[in-house]
Amino acid sequence: MKNWTYTQRAVATGTAGLLALTLSACGGGSDASGDGASGGGDDVISVGFSQVGAESGWRAANTKSIQESLTEENGFALSFSDAQQKQENQIQAIRSYIAQDVDVIAFSPVVESGWDAVLEEAKAADIPVILTDRAVDSEDETLYESFIGSDFVAEGERAGEWVVENLGDQELNVVELQGTTGAAPAIDRKAGFESAIEGNENIEIIASQTGNFTRSEGRQVMEGFLQAHDDIDLLFAHNDDMGLGAIEAIEAAGLTPGEDIKIVTIDAVKDGMQALADGKINYIVECNPLLGPDLAEITKKVVAGEEVEKRIVVEDQAFDQAAAAEALPTREY
């Protein structure tokens, strides 16, 4: 199956920072447009979207991009629900969208497994499904039309390659803050990082634990790491928010993040980029959250009966301290 990169377009955001976003549409089955999925006329495409939650700055930016792209003005009637990181909430939302007979269902799966039954219900109702950000592990690829998102394995590999190239000539004790257990980015970023450092005897992961992609749990788990180990050289965090929480724990322990403990993260949201520019993080691999424009275009193609690629990989970058300082003034998320 051919993989390809779909050109990522910027979404106009005005002057308000994405990280200050208030998710007014949070809560099961709430409607972002205010009109419900069935309103808008014959030419309007009704879309039911189930978001993972609001666990991070990345997720806030992702939600904003989707809500700003799937608008009435752009030909959509969007129903939006926040699953609060619970798979059962997403399944309930998807079944609600099936009952509403929306034109398209889109969602970012909380975890990889356990979707076949509800996706088969959508297929039986002749409602196409589009996956965003995270994939599912179903063997039946007819249950969804397309996946739009990043290559999480490549992100982990890129982080590991930087560690090997820049620090691999010295002994490194690494601790790892994993994302939500069972989530595609957590599984794939871990696999990619381990693949990149494999064979380098100087680098050893001495502790690895989930922080659920949240800043608060990132701090809590890092506190545990610091209590259990007095020889930590590097932290690999599966997202910026956990890394930022870990920075708080490192500083509270009287250590200097970025110096006493090197830090590599993934996402490249503004708070993370600022910490990188300030020298508290050493390297960040981007995971682009601005998936709304691509979701809007693919949705229109699916409804029109046009063929779409099964996997659409968005373009990601990576940043060191100098690159972060240069990018920050115009950063959209």
Side-chain angles (χ1 to χ4, degrees):
M1 184 176 300
K2 184 176 75 171
N3 290 346
W4 60 293
T5 299
Y6 208 79
T7 303
Q8 195 70 31
R9 296 172 300 281
V11 178
T13 61
T15 58
L18 284 173
L19 298 183
L21 172 66
T22 57
L23 297 181
S24 60
C26 287
S30 60
D31 174 23
S33 70
D35 294 327
S38 61
D42 292 340
D43 296 329
V44 172
I45 300 171
S46 58
V47 179
F49 186 89
S50 177
Q51 181 61 283
V52 170
E55 75 282 1
S56 64
W58 190 98
R59 191 62 57 187
N62 179 245
T63 291
K64 186 174 177 68
S65 176
I66 289 166
Q67 291 179 331
E68 289 190 340
S69 300
L70 275 66
T71 62
E72 265 188 58
E73 292 77 13
N74 290 338
F76 299 95
L78 174 65
S79 286
F80 180 94
S81 62
D82 177 349
Q84 301 175 339
Q85 299 200 62
K86 296 179 180 179
Q87 184 179 30
E88 59 267 30
N89 290 349
Q90 284 199 305
I91 291 173
Q92 182 180 5
I94 292 169
R95 286 185 169 137
S96 173
Y97 297 145
I98 294 171
Q100 293 175 45
D101 194 27
V102 298
D103 295 317
V104 173
I105 293 171
F107 74 111
S108 179
V110 174
V111 294
E112 282 191 331
S113 302
W115 299 104
D116 281 21
V118 72
L119 294 183
E120 285 169 359
E121 292 172 29
K123 182 178 178 180
D126 200 25
I127 300 175
V129 173
I130 300 172
L131 306 176
T132 70
D133 172 41
R134 301 180 180 183
V136 298
D137 64 2
S138 174
E139 295 182 1
D140 184 359
E141 292 190 347
T142 67
L143 296 179
Y144 63 94
E145 297 295 323
S146 184
F147 161 79
I148 306 169
S150 296
D151 185 331
F152 300 132
V153 173
E155 290 172 350
E157 288 175 344
R158 205 165 182 179
E161 287 165 359
W162 183 89
V163 172
V164 171
E165 291 171 8
N166 291 272
L167 304 170
D169 60 348
Q170 55 189 283
E171 289 191 8
L172 290 177
N173 289 328
V174 179
V175 294
E176 180 183 28
L177 280 168
Q178 297 182 46
T180 303
T181 301
I187 295 168
D188 292 350
R189 287 170 183 168
K190 181 175 181 62
F193 186 83
E194 290 178 349
S195 173
I197 66 172
E198 186 178 7
N200 190 313
E201 297 181 356
N202 290 333
I203 305 173
E204 181 184 1
I205 299 175
I206 61 173
S208 182
Q209 187 174 330
T210 180
N212 278 316
F213 287 123
T214 67
R215 194 172 303 197
S216 60
E217 291 195 47
R219 174 171 181 153
Q220 180 182 352
V221 175
M222 190 67 198
E223 288 173 345
F225 287 161
L226 290 166
Q227 290 171 5
H229 305 278
D230 59 4
D231 56 352
I232 299 171
D233 301 304
L234 182 137
L235 164 68
F236 169 47
H238 287 194
N239 77 339
D240 291 345
D241 278 78
M242 290 189 296
L244 292 165
I247 286 172
E248 295 174 5
I250 292 168
E251 291 177 332
L255 301 172
T256 302
E259 295 182 18
D260 295 326
I261 298 178
K262 307 292 186 184
I263 300 176
V264 176
T265 67
I266 295 174
D267 269 1
V269 297
K270 275 189 176 178
D271 281 2
M273 293 283 277
Q274 187 62 61
L276 175 57
D278 293 341
K280 295 184 177 184
I281 293 176
N282 302 89
Y283 190 69
I284 297 180
V285 178
E286 181 182 47
C287 182
N288 197 327
L290 304 183
L291 306 182
D294 289 343
L295 175 59
E297 184 159 341
I298 294 302
T299 297
K300 288 182 178 180
K301 287 185 175 182
V302 167
V303 170
E306 299 178 25
E307 185 176 348
V308 298
E309 295 290 340
K310 202 69 180 181
R311 181 175 175 86
I312 299 167
V313 180
V314 300
E315 184 177 355
D316 294 325
Q317 302 180 59
F319 300 89
D320 58 15
Q321 185 174 11
E326 183 179 352
L328 266 171
T330 57
R331 196 72 177 161
E332 291 189 65
Y333 53 92

